[in-house]
């Protein structure tokens, strides 16, 4: 796992309701083909991937993590010792139980509510993060800004994004443009894959 970049997959997956494993969140199904290409690439190239689940989704529980490293919201000294042995890393988000409470507490900001988030990126110390996923105006924005603030380069895959429930194409473009003004880069999936082939 010695690539110069890693993936941050923002809220594309949740636990399956009836069985073990993950499924795509309904909102990201329109970009499911692109996500499959990214996941195949990551597996083949052994690209480290950090991922989260939407606050109103069915989140991974620590006892269900299996081969995935679970990074809890509370300060914890056990996960860093296991970090280098895992390609897939689940960054847990805090949820308040209702949509209204999540909005009131800015639940989508994993860097605000997970005491281990910034440390995770510093421990990994990977210079470039490829960010994509669900909820551009909220969750993707918070993820990209947190990584930039931690001092790492961010490339947003601008055609592997889905807006939040109340977002629009205009708000999505405004968010990506603002991230670029703050230091991120943007790139379509095909260009990224051809550069890294």
């Amino acid at each position: 796992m010695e690539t110069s970049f890693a993936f941050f997959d923002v809220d594309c997956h949740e636990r399956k309701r009836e069985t073990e494993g993950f499924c795509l969140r309904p909102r990201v199904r329109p970009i499911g083909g692109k996500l499959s290409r990214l996941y195949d690439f990551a597996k083949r190239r052994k690209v480290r991937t950090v991922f989260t689940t939407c606050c109103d989704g069915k989140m991974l529980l620590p006892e269900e993590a299996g081969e995935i490293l679970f990074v809890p919201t509370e300060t914890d000294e056990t996960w860093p010792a296991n970090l280098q042995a895992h390609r897939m890393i689940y960054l847990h988000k805090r949820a308040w139980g209702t949509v209204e409470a999540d909005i009131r507490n800015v639940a989508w900001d994993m860097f605000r509510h997970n005491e281990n988030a910034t440390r995770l990126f510093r421990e990994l110390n990977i210079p470039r993060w490829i960010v994509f996923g669900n909820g551009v105006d909220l969750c993707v924005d918070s993820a990209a800004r947190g990584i930039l603030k931690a001092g790492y380069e961010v490339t947003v895959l601008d055609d592997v994004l889905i807006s939040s429930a109340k977002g629009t194409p205009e708000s999505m473009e405004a968010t990506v443009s603002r991230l670029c003004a703050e230091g991120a880069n943007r790139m379509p999936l095909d260009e990224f894959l051809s550069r890294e082939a």
Side-chain angles (χ1 to χ4, degrees):
M1 290 183 278
E2 294 299 324
T3 58
S4 62
F5 61 87
F7 290 147
F8 195 154
D9 176 351
V10 183
D11 294 359
C12 291
H13 285 93
E14 65 181 349
R15 282 177 31 234
K16 290 182 180 176
R17 302 280 171 182
E18 304 295 331
T19 60
E20 291 184 10
F22 287 93
C23 60
L24 289 179
R25 295 273 294 155
R27 190 180 297 134
V28 301
R29 288 182 188 148
I31 59 170
K34 291 179 180 183
L35 291 170
S36 291
R37 291 172 64 198
L38 276 169
Y39 301 150
D40 290 345
F41 175 89
K43 189 173 183 180
R44 189 174 62 253
R45 293 277 304 273
K46 298 181 173 62
V47 177
R48 215 178 275 273
T49 302
V50 173
F51 70 106
T52 54
T53 296
C54 181
C55 295
D56 71 348
K58 194 164 176 68
M59 295 188 184
L60 182 68
L61 300 174
E63 61 271 18
E64 299 171 329
E67 296 298 313
I68 298 166
L69 180 65
F70 186 96
V71 179
T73 55
E74 307 81 25
T75 300
D76 179 293
E77 291 303 317
T78 58
W79 65 267
N82 299 310
L83 186 57
Q84 295 309 318
H86 291 82
R87 184 180 73 81
M88 298 293 293
I89 302 161
Y90 183 78
L91 183 60
H92 193 60
K93 290 166 83 171
R94 184 169 177 205
W96 276 262
T98 67
V99 172
E100 296 78 16
D102 286 345
I103 291 169
R104 189 170 54 252
N105 289 290
V106 193
W108 55 85
D109 190 348
M110 68 288 298
F111 285 90
R112 178 185 293 196
H113 301 298
N114 186 315
E115 297 173 18
N116 299 300
T118 299
R119 181 177 178 186
L120 170 63
F121 287 88
R122 291 194 173 138
E123 291 275 348
L124 288 168
N125 198 30
I126 297 169
R128 181 175 171 220
W129 286 85
I130 311 304
V131 178
F132 56 90
N134 183 11
V136 176
D137 334 57
L138 304 172
C139 305
V140 174
D141 182 50
S142 293
R145 294 175 87 198
I147 296 168
L148 287 168
K149 188 175 178 183
Y152 300 102
E153 183 182 339
V154 169
T155 297
V156 177
L157 295 180
D158 58 11
D159 59 345
V160 192
L161 299 173
I162 294 292
S163 189
S164 62
K166 294 188 177 181
T168 64
E170 294 77 19
S171 68
M172 190 160 79
E173 177 57 33
T175 299
V176 174
S177 295
R178 188 182 71 250
L179 286 170
C180 291
E182 293 175 9
N185 301 301
R186 66 189 302 169
M187 187 180 299
L189 174 62
D190 286 342
E191 182 179 345
F192 168 74
L193 292 176
S194 66
R195 285 186 180 197
E196 300 300 334

